[in-house]
Amino acid sequence: MHILLVEDDDRVAAALRPALHRHGMTTTRLSVGRGAVDHLADVDVVLLDLGLPDIDGVDVCRAIREVSEVPIIVVSARGEVDDRILGLHSGADDYLVKPYDIGELVARVHTVYRRSRVGPSATADVVQVADVSVDLQRHTVTVGGEPVSLTRKEFQVLAMLASSGGAVCTRNRIVAEVWGRTWAGANRTLDVHVATLRTKLGRADLVQTVRGVGYRLGLPGAEDG
Amino acid sequence: MRGRLLLIIMVLVGLLAAGLGIPLALSNAQADQSRMFTDRLTDTVYYASLAERALVDDDPTGLADELKRYDSVYGVAVTVLGRDGKQVASSRDPAPTLDADGRNRVALALANRRSDPYDLRFPWDTRPLVLAEPVLVDSEVRGATVTVSPTDDLRAGEIKVWSLVAAAGLLALALAVLVALPIVRWILRPVRRLDEGTGRVAAAVLAGANAEPVADGTGPPELRQLSESFDRMAETVTQAYSAQRTFVADASHQLRNPLTALRLRLSNLDGHVDPSGTEDQVAALEEAERLSTLLDGLLALARAERTNPLVTVDVDAGVADRIEAWRPLAEHTGLRLERTGTPALRALGPAGVIETVLDAVLDNAVKFSPPGTTIDVDTRAGDGHVEVAVRDHGPGMAPDDLERATHRFWRSPEQSNVEGSGLGLAIAARTTEVAGGELRLELPESGGLRVVARLRAADGDADRDGVAWEQTAGRARKSVPGH
């Protein structure tokens, strides 16, 4: 997978490139926004910093979107809701706030890449892990054929992990997608939901904790992420 | 100040009017009175000489007729007394009785001495004017003539003149007010503008905008100078405050890049660290995460200190949303989260103010309350305000700490190692203050802590309470420029 990294901070780029390489990706780095559209050949995902020295990253994002359907993940030091909305409206596929975790970044790169290749509705309606079956359409869960009653949020957390296919979902991402916003007790609330999920499903190792990062579904034979 | 300036001018004009008017009125009265005195004296002397004959002849009949005629024309009672003080003839029957002063004058006349002219008689003094003259026959006192003149006409004249003088004085005062008002206004215009300007500057400083200048080139030179100095000061304060605020935001943004690089570098060590060092690596990653949380807190604080437009917020929606969000965590730690008080309230504040405040306050309440206790979220209205209160049954805090607890980075000494940025209450306090409210911490008698966010009620609720707060509301609207 080839990544175009548009990042003005040399030290961030220097730290990020080996990390991406270790996850089997190749990178091209640009330190300015001007000319980004000329480097899109063979690029699978664009990582775009919004705080560029020459032009606003949002404009770069629009310019890329005009000429290409390549997935764009906006990476920014500005994490306010308005900034996120602006980023997503200008054509970005995802938005990540600095400082981010490399695991989360890689997971998101994979997600947008997969989505761009197979289209948005490719996720299976039912995810089956051992004897646990998660029906994403009908919002039902069965364990060994027996239905399990989950609250809406509990189901949403499980559904998100299930549709990620064993990849790590970071805490920030789960909170943002399930609760829509983050707050002081968000991480602890997520932990509570996961604990309840484990109890209700009766499968303690189904939802696995990735320390310091987040959670993932313990698929049989899934690679370590 | 306007009242005082007017008062000073009025007092000066009043003193002037009194200084001119009172001597005028008094001298006029004095002149009238001495004219009357002289007039009566002439008459009295005339009747004294007329009485000589009657006394010598001891035949008062003709004299009495003369006196009666005089009395019927002028209304002045004339009595002639003998040397022994007995009445010889009188224009009236019985003769008017005399008071002590009158009798004294008669006694002086019988002793062939003149009585003094009267001192000034005030209009309310109803005593008649009594004159007594000796009747001399060959330089020997043979009796006395007494005239008793009523002073009604004299006093009526006096009152008329005095009223005129008083009216002239009042007219002068009224004219003085008419002339002084524009002058006072002119002097005070810069002061009034300064007063209005202070409010505007406070609002502008909060909003980070430049305040409209106060100086408009009118008023006395000294005050004009003051206005200009005020404008310069307001500009400096605005710039300083805005610089301080943007510094927090800028610094937080600038720290994100190094922090990102740090986290990436630490992650890159994965698999290259000696197993004995793994714990340190994970801890270092957690420290980086902590720094990141602190940055988020600082940015949230910088946001809270920025004036956002005030909107009408639905208290119920915010409270319900946050109770819903915190309930799983609260129930997990064995806490009950309850909602009490008045429903359907609307408050004035930046969008999301209820959520921001409740997040900060509930965070502490859930962290510090012992299992099995209740956290109560109460809303009520009153006095043009809406109060959202969170009451827990945790350890509370030392009374001395109540004030400090809303300061940035304050942590209870006993809880200094509990996770958190120490910014939660500061953010909640700034958010309510910027909305024109306040965050108050209370220690209920039955233990625990009660945190009350007091916000201004939106129009509808104020009407319902029957509280006149139109003025505050108007000011609030004015203080938030469309930004």
Side-chain angles (χ1 to χ4, degrees), chain B residues 299-321:
Chain B
L299 276 174
L301 185 64
R303 263 201 305 281
E305 284 178 346
R306 201 161 60 199
T307 309
N308 290 312
L310 298 194
V311 294
T312 299
V313 294
D314 181 350
V315 176
D316 277 355
V319 170
D321 180 61

Side-chain angles (χ1 to χ4, degrees), chain A residues 31-90:
Chain A
S31 58
V32 292
R34 192 162 286 125
V37 283
D38 304 327
H39 291 80
L40 293 176
D42 298 329
V43 166
D44 295 308
V45 174
V46 177
L47 284 183
L48 176 63
D49 184 2
L50 284 190
L52 294 170
D54 55 343
I55 41 177
D56 192 334
V58 173
D59 295 332
V60 179
C61 192
R62 290 205 185 97
I64 294 176
R65 194 45 81 233
E66 274 175 24
V67 298
S68 167
E69 284 299 311
V70 63
I72 303 171
I73 298 180
V74 162
V75 180
S76 170
R78 294 195 289 257
E80 292 175 31
V81 179
D82 290 349
D83 296 320
R84 286 171 186 264
I85 291 172
L86 181 65
L88 294 176
H89 273 182
S90 55

Side-chain angles (χ1 to χ4, degrees), chain B residues 271-292:
Chain B
H272 304 287
V273 178
D274 198 79
S276 61
T278 313
E279 197 183 324
D280 280 337
Q281 191 212 351
V282 171
L285 270 169
E286 281 169 4
E287 290 307 317
E289 179 67 38
R290 212 170 109 181
L291 264 177
S292 155

Side-chain angles (χ1 to χ4, degrees), chain A:
Chain A
M1 199 187 301
H2 190 69
I3 311 286
L4 175 64
L5 177 62
V6 187
E7 165 67 67
D8 67 314
D9 192 299
D10 288 344
R11 302 188 69 91
V12 171
L16 181 56
R17 291 180 78 177
L20 292 174
H21 295 161
R22 257 185 340 124
H23 286 86
M25 301 166 183
T26 52
T27 54
T28 307
R29 188 222 164 181
L30 291 176
S31 58
V32 292
R34 192 162 286 125
V37 283
D38 304 327
H39 291 80
L40 293 176
D42 298 329
V43 166
D44 295 308
V45 174
V46 177
L47 284 183
L48 176 63
D49 184 2
L50 284 190
L52 294 170
D54 55 343
I55 41 177
D56 192 334
V58 173
D59 295 332
V60 179
C61 192
R62 290 205 185 97
I64 294 176
R65 194 45 81 233
E66 274 175 24
V67 298
S68 167
E69 284 299 311
V70 63
I72 303 171
I73 298 180
V74 162
V75 180
S76 170
R78 294 195 289 257
E80 292 175 31
V81 179
D82 290 349
D83 296 320
R84 286 171 186 264
I85 291 172
L86 181 65
L88 294 176
H89 273 182
S90 55
D93 295 80
D94 208 346
Y95 194 105
L96 203 56
V97 179
K98 286 179 180 177
Y100 45 77
D101 175 81
I102 186 65
E104 173 161 23
L105 179 66
V106 169
R108 293 204 188 192
V109 167
H110 279 300
T111 307
V112 295
Y113 178 63
R114 201 165 45 229
R115 219 190 284 155
S116 74
R117 300 232 319 191
V118 293
S121 61
T123 327
D125 286 350
V126 178
V127 177
Q128 186 82 35
V129 185
D131 60 345
V132 179
S133 160
V134 184
D135 189 328
L136 300 176
Q137 290 292 313
R138 284 151 57 198
H139 284 222
T140 56
V141 177
T142 58
V143 178
E146 290 292 311
V148 176
S149 155
L150 298 180
T151 65
R152 221 162 67 91
K153 296 271 190 257
E154 283 161 6
F155 180 82
Q156 281 176 292
V157 172
L158 182 62
M160 190 174 160
L161 294 174
S163 35
S164 299
V168 183
C169 293
T170 64
R171 292 166 165 282
N172 290 346
R173 188 164 154 228
I174 301 174
V175 167
E177 289 198 14
V178 174
W179 280 273
R181 55 168 283 181
T182 186
W183 73 99
N187 279 343
R188 283 174 285 151
T189 303
L190 173 60
D191 293 341
V192 169
H193 278 79
V194 169
T196 323
L197 263 180
R198 284 173 179 154
T199 315
K200 285 187 176 176
L201 297 175
R203 299 284 181 277
D205 54 349
L206 183 71
V207 180
Q208 296 181 343
T209 305
V210 182
R211 195 176 165 194
V213 182
Y215 296 102
R216 70 174 173 202
L217 218 56
L219 298 178
E223 281 178 61
D224 282 357

Side-chain angles (χ1 to χ4, degrees), chain A residues 15 19 77 80 98 181 188, chain B residues 256-257 268 303 326 359 363:
Chain A
E80 292 175 31
K98 286 179 180 177
R181 55 168 283 181
R188 283 174 285 151
Chain B
R256 280 181 190 269
N257 273 333
N268 288 351
R303 263 201 305 281
W326 283 94
D359 273 344
D363 187 24

